Amino acid sequence: MKLTVMQHADAEDLGVIKEWAADQGIETVTYRPDQGDPIAQLNPADIDGLIVLGGPMSVNDDLDWLAAERILIRSLNKLNRPVLGICLGAQQITKALGANVYRMPKPEEGVGTVKGTDGTLLNVFHWHGEAMSRLPGSQILYENEHALQGFAYHERIVGLQFHLEVTPAMIAAIGAAADKPQAPVNEALLKPGHQVLTAILERLFK
């Protein structure tokens, strides 16, 4: 298994996913389409699995590389290959497969709570100003009072509006990059989310 990764901001990398992949002997290859990496040349048939990370741009921006990512997502869906989208990545999946992404009245930023379909609460890190409409045929995984927060589609695709991959250092870096300093976050607060993320990764990519 080799994972193809789309990264769109210096501070928003794979985070704890890097350690998980290394432990599993899974290779990751990261592209920066926002910096000109020619992802339109990638052959979907050669991709075992895809992770699309977050970023400060909007999926509704008129950028060729955003459109190229969505073409790749649609192709992998047809090939029944696994895809994980985080924040911008989840919104890219949503738009690629036919639903809308819209501007929220107020951004969600910082540590907050989402509710799973079983009623359990999970502490997560939010960093988004847009929200996803429900993708027809998808299964809701998480939501809160503001918006849909996570979904599964056709068993091999998962989109999470929030960030489970982050470490305390990443949260500080994301806030600093946006000139919005974040209060220090205890690692223990993030651990349950890391466990949820591990279960998703093993479901998709093993």
Side-chain angles (χ1 to χ4, degrees):
M1 169 71 74
K2 179 169 72 175
L3 294 181
T4 299
V5 180
M6 299 295 161
Q7 181 176 341
H8 316 106
D10 292 341
E12 299 186 48
D13 62 17
L14 283 170
V16 299
I17 299 174
K18 287 181 288 190
E19 182 179 349
W20 175 85
D23 288 344
Q24 302 300 319
I26 294 174
E27 180 184 357
T28 60
V29 179
T30 298
Y31 294 88
R32 288 295 301 266
D34 61 310
Q35 295 182 353
D37 284 351
I39 63 169
Q41 299 176 13
L42 294 175
N43 183 352
D46 294 334
I47 295 177
D48 297 327
L50 176 68
I51 298 177
V52 186
L53 298 173
M57 56 289 299
S58 167
V59 297
N60 296 312
D61 291 341
D62 186 16
L63 297 171
D64 288 345
W65 64 264
L66 284 170
E69 276 192 359
R70 293 193 292 270
I71 291 170
L72 191 59
I73 290 167
R74 286 193 290 270
S75 297
L76 293 174
N77 178 46
K78 291 178 181 178
L79 291 169
N80 199 32
R81 304 286 170 83
V83 180
L84 172 62
I86 296 172
C87 199
L88 176 73
Q91 296 169 357
Q92 279 281 72
I93 293 170
T94 296
K95 184 165 183 175
L97 300 180
N100 293 325
V101 175
Y102 59 93
R103 177 66 58 180
M104 300 178 71
K106 182 180 179 181
E108 283 190 278
E109 296 174 344
V111 174
T113 303
V114 296
K115 180 184 290 187
T117 51
D118 60 357
T120 58
L121 300 178
L122 184 66
N123 291 315
V124 301
F125 180 67
H126 295 287
W127 201 256
H128 59 97
E130 294 184 319
M132 309 173 292
S133 300
R134 184 173 182 179
L135 185 62
S138 66
Q139 173 192 358
I140 293 176
L141 298 179
Y142 293 97
E143 54 192 344
N144 64 11
E145 68 272 23
H146 302 296
L148 168 66
Q149 296 288 343
F151 64 89
Y153 184 76
H154 288 184
E155 299 301 320
R156 301 297 289 166
I157 295 177
V158 172
L160 302 174
Q161 179 67 88
F162 45 84
H163 295 265
L164 295 181
E165 80 285 7
V166 291
T167 63
M170 281 181 67
I171 290 174
I174 290 170
D179 199 22
K180 296 179 179 180
Q182 298 296 296
V185 176
N186 191 301
E187 179 74 36
L189 185 72
L190 303 175
K191 187 174 180 180
H194 292 166
Q195 294 171 339
V196 169
L197 178 59
T198 295
I200 292 171
L201 293 169
E202 291 182 350
R203 167 185 163 188
L204 292 178
F205 303 121
K206 284 187 68 177

